[in-house]
Amino acid sequence: MKRQRNREAKTEVKFVLALRRGTCWCIYKMGKSYEDEKILSYNDVVLRRSDLGILSGPYFLNDRIIEFYFSYLASSYPTKDILLVPPSIAFWIMQCPVVESLRDFLEPLHLSEKTLVIFPINNNDDVSLAEGGSHWSLLVYYRNANNFVHHDSLNGMNRVPAKKLYKAVVGYMGMGVSDSASEAEFLECSDSPKQRNGHDCGLYVIAIARVICSWYVDSKNTGLNGLWFSDVKEQVKPSVVAEMRSEILTLIRGLRRHQENHVFEPVAPYPAKADLIQ
């Protein structure tokens, strides 16, 4: 019995270490993987316990977490003018080898009807490698300025994949063949906030996306001109980004509680810090 308890204790220690290191240990209990346990189903996104491990430590964000937060922003700013494209869709657009297939694929997105379109960019160029790549950035199309703006927290590291996506979709942004959006300009935002480590690029992507969505709604209501650059520079500070992991965990915890209690209440886009999910 004592040996059995020791084995169980060692297994538990291994799991804790694996969670902290971001590795993919699979501890099965009653035929189900602990890491694969479903934590939250939100719109079309399913978050699992392994995603909480990523958020709990200083690790590179995966596609699921970014897709979840984009879906949450879309619910927080419910306007047909804004489209937040999931990472998997953005990746497929970049890698699609057949023009005819791309046209059919883009049609349901109704790009020509959107004023603001936000694409997450990943530098993975291997279609056989799920959730590959080593860096995230953000490409934003704004119809009123007729341009694509690339925000990269590592000095333009993702410029090549961002340009690749830009070239793939630019011809589909216009209302018609003669629409000027087909010639929209690509701009690299050199003044975009910069990360201070090798793992927070995904957090900068969602932080900047959040500010831009808020800016768009505010500018639409107040009639302000210009772009969102000053808002991003003022609001996306390293200290703000550093808090986003705990903010997202708090958000997940709140959404999960609402679902469990069958209560529908809006959760603020800027949640306060609270205890993390246990």
Side-chain angles (χ1 to χ4, degrees):
M1 182 66 69
K2 185 174 181 180
R3 289 182 179 179
Q4 177 65 24
R5 285 199 298 267
N6 287 340
R7 282 196 296 269
E8 291 176 353
K10 289 179 181 179
T11 299
E12 184 177 351
V13 169
K14 284 182 179 180
F15 169 73
V16 172
L17 290 175
L19 185 62
R20 290 187 176 182
R21 293 169 184 166
T23 55
C24 190
W25 285 74
C26 293
I27 309 301
Y28 286 88
K29 185 175 183 180
M30 298 182 65
K32 184 177 182 180
S33 168
Y34 181 81
E35 285 286 85
D36 199 45
E37 177 190 352
K38 184 169 74 173
I39 295 297
L40 177 70
S41 179
Y42 184 79
N43 294 334
D44 294 327
V45 186
V46 175
L47 292 177
R48 304 192 180 278
R49 189 165 292 278
S50 57
D51 299 317
L52 303 186
I54 291 173
L55 286 168
S56 297
Y59 309 123
F60 183 81
L61 296 195
N62 61 13
D63 293 37
R64 262 199 314 268
I65 295 171
I66 292 177
E67 183 175 2
F68 159 72
Y69 201 81
F70 272 28
S71 182
Y72 172 68
L73 287 177
S75 298
S76 301
Y77 300 98
T79 170
K80 294 181 179 180
D81 295 345
I82 299 175
L83 175 63
L84 292 116
V85 181
S88 58
I89 302 298
F91 177 73
W92 197 93
I93 292 171
M94 281 192 289
Q95 305 301 332
C96 181
V98 183
V99 175
E100 290 74 16
S101 298
L102 179 60
R103 183 184 299 110
D104 294 339
F105 184 77
L106 291 177
E107 186 176 350
L109 298 180
H110 303 292
L111 295 176
S112 63
E113 301 173 12
K114 307 301 179 183
T115 304
L116 185 69
V117 186
I118 299 178
F119 302 91
I121 304 294
N122 188 278
N123 63 353
N124 178 26
D125 58 3
D126 185 352
V127 295
S128 66
L129 183 61
E131 296 193 357
S134 60
H135 184 54
W136 290 105
S137 61
L138 198 71
L139 184 66
V140 184
Y141 170 72
Y142 184 45
R143 184 172 302 281
N144 294 351
N146 193 33
N147 58 34
F148 286 80
V149 179
H150 184 219
H151 288 273
D152 193 330
S153 57
L154 274 182
N155 297 312
M157 179 178 176
N158 269 5
R159 182 182 177 85
V160 171
K163 261 297 191 63
K164 186 176 182 179
L165 190 145
Y166 157 74
K167 291 177 180 178
V169 301
V170 65
Y172 298 95
M173 306 306 296
M175 298 293 187
V177 177
S178 61
D179 194 288
S180 61
S182 61
E183 300 178 358
E185 186 181 5
F186 179 95
L187 301 175
E188 186 75 39
C189 182
S190 60
D191 201 29
S192 194
K194 301 298 187 290
Q195 64 190 86
R196 296 181 175 179
N197 53 49
H199 48 257
D200 279 350
C201 52
L203 293 174
Y204 276 84
V205 162
I206 59 179
I208 293 172
R210 179 173 68 178
V211 171
I212 293 174
C213 287
S214 176
W215 167 86
Y216 175 76
V217 172
D218 291 344
S219 64
K220 188 177 180 180
N221 292 335
T222 60
L224 294 175
N225 296 318
L227 291 175
W228 53 82
F229 297 155
S230 60
D231 288 52
V232 167
K233 190 173 182 179
E234 292 171 6
Q235 298 179 42
V236 183
K237 303 287 188 182
S239 58
V240 173
V241 174
E243 296 294 323
M244 287 204 70
R245 292 181 187 272
S246 60
E247 283 187 12
I248 297 171
L249 282 166
T250 299
L251 171 62
I252 294 170
R253 181 174 181 266
L255 291 170
R256 187 186 188 197
R257 184 175 63 249
H258 291 322
Q259 289 185 0
E260 290 175 344
N261 296 335
H262 303 287
V263 175
F264 179 77
E265 296 178 6
V267 182
Y270 297 82
K273 288 189 67 176
D275 295 334
L276 304 184
I277 297 177
Q278 300 300 318

